[in-house]
Amino acid sequence: MYKVKLEEFEGPLDLLLFLIKKDEIDIYDIPIAMVTEQYLQYLELMELMDLDIAGEFLVMAATLMHIKSKMLLPPEERSPEEAEEEDPRAELVKRLIEYKAFKEAASSLQSLESRQRDLFHRPGDMDAVEVECNGEKFFEASLFDLISAFSTVFANVSKEAFLEVIKEQVTVEQKVHDILHLLVDKPSFALKDLFDSSKSKIEMVVVFLALLELMKIHSIMAVQKELFGEIQIIRNPAVIEPTKV
Amino acid sequence: MENKELKSVVEALIFVSDKPFGINNIRDVVDNVPEAQVRQVIDELNAEYEQTGRSFIIQEVAGGFRMATRPEFASWLKSFYKSKVKERLTRPSLETLAIIAYKQPVTKPEIEAIRGVNTDGVITTLLERNLIKIAGRKDTPGRPLLYATTNEFLAHFGLGAISEMPKLPEVQQLIDAAPGPRLDITEEKNDTIQTA
């Protein structure tokens, strides 16, 4: 029984680089016929081994054969435009060189990673944005923080409160106004307070949507003092004071 | 402020902080202290730790300073703090990150043009691990999302700033040496970026 060791290739460019390196081929002068043949042999091997061959591998096979056919044409039989064209391999060579550079960059990142993995430190969110409001420091709450805050509020609401069947007439637009009004009177309020005044599930959802909308247009910010702390809503310090509506 | 006192204050600030402590934060606390002086006392602290055989150092990552243990203690720490051991990134992840790091902000089709393979899954993983972020949309047809690296990325690789990335100079030379028209890999830096 034969044992075949087949390297795993990230993609067609990776496979081509491997073939070039294996035979110590000059990357600027690739013997296209030979490389194409080897490339197709590898694809066959991959097929034999029942590996899924991604479409990209087949596209590259077609590209290689196209280049090969172009190179087979004797110079005098090429049309004038074609004769002026660059080496049919040039485009492929450029792609290979660029890919090779990033492949090498990935390797240097890998060695940086190994070095850093041996250093232990305290946990902390590296990308938390700090904002100052009334001399206190906050960092911005993420969407996930908001959703978990919302689900906590939702879970705490007693079921009985929803027995009444009344068609609610609350709109996101109206809630947006309400929230902005609150922020005219005071610089910040707790997210919880906002939901406490809601009378129904629908209203709570609408309030939540209004919050998201205002955050999207950067009118307000949801901030917290510590991880999993209470979420406060503040005016976005980067935006001019909202005027009374 | 005396150098000796500054050194202790800086050490205390970095000791307590749960994320890299920026030089500017230090300068907020201690008025008018030049950056060079802060760096100097941190160097001195590191030299002292080294001399006295401490188990940690002050490391500069993502534009700030934090305390981290020396690599020689890794084997002991790994056995206890299992959850703190970060999973190694896979080849496709590293390749994609390298492209994003050097060409950011960059779109998925641009990344795929270089790698020659579909990159959907990899991008999702990198976003989940907070190593990359969406940095807006490119003003081209379809308005594709632009990706950029995060501070978490810098911390993962122990880099102080993106400028500390190993350089890619040979690439440009290699491409220049190639037959055919010049290909600039540092193109498209001035695209209009719109925040998402």
Side-chain angles (χ1 to χ4, degrees):
Chain A
M1 202 180 107
Y2 289 105
K3 267 198 180 165
V4 187
K5 188 181 170 284
L6 197 62
E7 289 209 29
E8 208 184 304
F9 298 105
E10 294 306 339
L13 290 170
D14 202 22
L15 173 53
L16 273 182
L17 277 182
F18 167 78
L19 294 175
I20 287 166
K21 202 175 142 202
K22 186 171 69 91
D23 292 340
E24 289 169 22
I25 293 170
D26 175 9
I27 198 164
Y28 298 121
D29 189 20
I30 302 170
I32 235 41
M34 186 184 104
V35 169
T36 307
E37 198 183 312
Q38 290 191 356
Y39 182 90
L40 293 175
Q41 275 173 7
Y42 261 89
L43 286 202
E44 257 173 53
L45 201 54
M46 284 160 85
E47 215 168 20
L48 267 177
M49 297 182 67
D50 248 358
L51 292 178
D52 264 344
I53 300 177
E56 293 96 351
F57 280 97
L58 302 176
V59 172
M60 180 57 77
T63 310
L64 285 171
M65 285 188 274
H66 181 66
I67 296 173
K68 186 177 153 191
S69 68
K70 264 188 159 179
M71 298 208 39
L72 283 174
L73 286 177
E76 59 273 14
E77 277 179 35
R78 291 183 192 172
S79 65
E81 301 122 57
E82 269 180 331
E84 269 168 41
E85 246 181 50
E86 51 180 323
D87 189 323
R89 298 170 296 184
E91 185 56 41
L92 182 65
V93 170
K94 269 184 265 172
R95 286 187 63 193
L96 280 172
I97 289 173
E98 194 177 23
Y99 176 69
K100 190 164 171 263
F102 285 109
K103 202 178 136 130
E104 278 159 18
S107 300
S108 47
L109 279 182
Q110 193 166 35
S111 46
L112 286 177
E113 181 187 48
S114 312
R115 200 187 62 185
Q116 187 59 33
R117 276 180 95 234
D118 283 344
L119 271 59
F120 287 69
H121 54 84
R122 297 181 188 191
D125 188 352
M126 305 291 308
D127 290 278
V129 184
E130 273 200 2
V131 261
E132 235 181 277
C133 175
N134 301 331
E136 284 187 282
K137 281 204 171 148
F138 295 97
F139 64 88
E140 203 172 351
S142 72
L143 181 61
F144 299 109
D145 293 325
L146 275 178
I147 291 173
S148 50
F150 184 59
S151 60
T152 317
V153 175
F154 227 82
N156 288 345
V157 177
S158 69
K159 296 242 154 54
E160 277 172 274
F162 301 123
L163 285 176
E164 255 176 291
V165 185
I166 305 166
K167 200 175 178 204
E168 293 288 342
Q169 293 292 343
V170 272
T171 63
V172 174
E173 206 181 358
Q174 188 191 330
K175 286 293 164 193
V176 162
H177 273 257
D178 290 354
I179 293 169
L180 285 177
H181 263 293
L182 276 172
L183 285 174
V184 169
D185 297 334
K186 45 186 177 180
S188 72
F189 58 85
L191 182 70
K192 210 168 78 33
D193 298 345
L194 193 61
F195 289 118
D196 283 350
S197 59
S198 303
K199 287 177 206 74
S200 68
K201 231 177 198 175
I202 275 290
E203 192 174 346
M204 290 165 81
V205 173
V206 171
V207 167
F208 190 64
L209 289 176
L211 271 176
L212 292 179
E213 180 62 27
L214 282 167
M215 284 169 67
K216 193 181 141 204
I217 59 170
H218 303 292
S219 287
I220 59 164
M221 276 176 109
V223 295
Q224 50 193 169
K225 271 192 197 151
E226 64 219 337
L227 272 182
F228 314 116
E230 190 174 25
I231 294 178
Q232 297 274 324
I233 302 298
I234 60 166
R235 272 180 291 214
N236 190 344
V239 177
I240 11 148
E241 302 273 295
T243 41
K244 268 197 195 271
V245 204
Chain B
M1 187 185 275
E2 288 260 325
N3 224 34
K4 192 163 175 276
E5 197 187 351
L6 176 69
K7 203 196 295 181
S8 304
V9 171
V10 167
E11 185 182 43
L13 287 170
I14 297 172
F15 175 72
V16 173
S17 179
D18 56 4
K19 62 179 186 175
F21 204 80
I23 279 209
N24 284 338
N25 296 123
I26 295 173
R27 296 172 73 195
D28 280 350
V29 180
V30 190
D31 281 340
N32 293 323
V33 55
E35 184 177 326
Q37 202 185 342
V38 177
R39 288 189 177 273
Q40 193 204 322
V41 296
I42 289 172
D43 286 346
E44 284 172 26
L45 283 168
N46 271 330
E48 280 170 29
Y49 298 157
E50 171 96 54
Q51 278 159 23
T52 51
R54 306 251 48 107
S55 59
F56 53 86
I57 48 159
I58 295 177
Q59 190 196 15
E60 183 170 7
V61 285
F65 295 90
R66 73 173 170 203
M67 288 183 171
T69 57
R70 288 183 180 283
E72 49 267 41
F73 301 99
S75 51
W76 281 279
L77 292 163
K78 268 177 194 160
S79 62
F80 188 74
Y81 293 105
K82 291 202 176 67
S83 65
K84 282 204 182 205
V85 182
K86 284 188 179 148
E87 229 177 282
R88 271 178 215 279
L89 291 165
T90 59
R91 271 313 300 179
S93 291
L94 286 165
E95 267 181 37
T96 308
L97 263 183
I99 296 169
I100 296 174
Y102 286 105
K103 301 195 73 159
Q104 59 185 314
V106 64
T107 65
K108 193 163 70 69
E110 286 162 355
I111 299 166
E112 288 176 346
I114 295 172
R115 292 193 64 225
V117 280
N118 180 295
T119 306
D120 284 333
V122 182
I123 293 215
T124 314
T125 314
L126 293 176
L127 280 172
E128 272 168 11
R129 287 192 64 169
N130 221 353
L131 292 164
I132 59 168
K133 61 181 175 200
I134 293 165
R137 285 179 183 276
K138 191 169 178 167
D139 240 352
T140 51
R143 310 215 328 119
L145 291 169
L146 284 162
Y147 298 98
T149 55
T150 58
N151 283 333
E152 181 61 39
F153 164 83
L154 294 174
H156 186 85
F157 295 101
L159 296 164
I162 197 79
S163 56
E164 282 178 22
M165 289 271 296
K167 293 277 174 295
L168 269 184
E170 318 92 85
V171 189
Q172 194 60 59
Q173 286 165 18
L174 281 169
I175 290 169
D176 287 347
R182 191 170 177 276
L183 183 90
D184 194 352
I185 65 147
T186 52
E187 58 185 336
E188 302 174 276
K189 268 277 141 2
N190 301 320
D191 290 314
T192 346
I193 297 157
Q194 295 182 344
T195 20

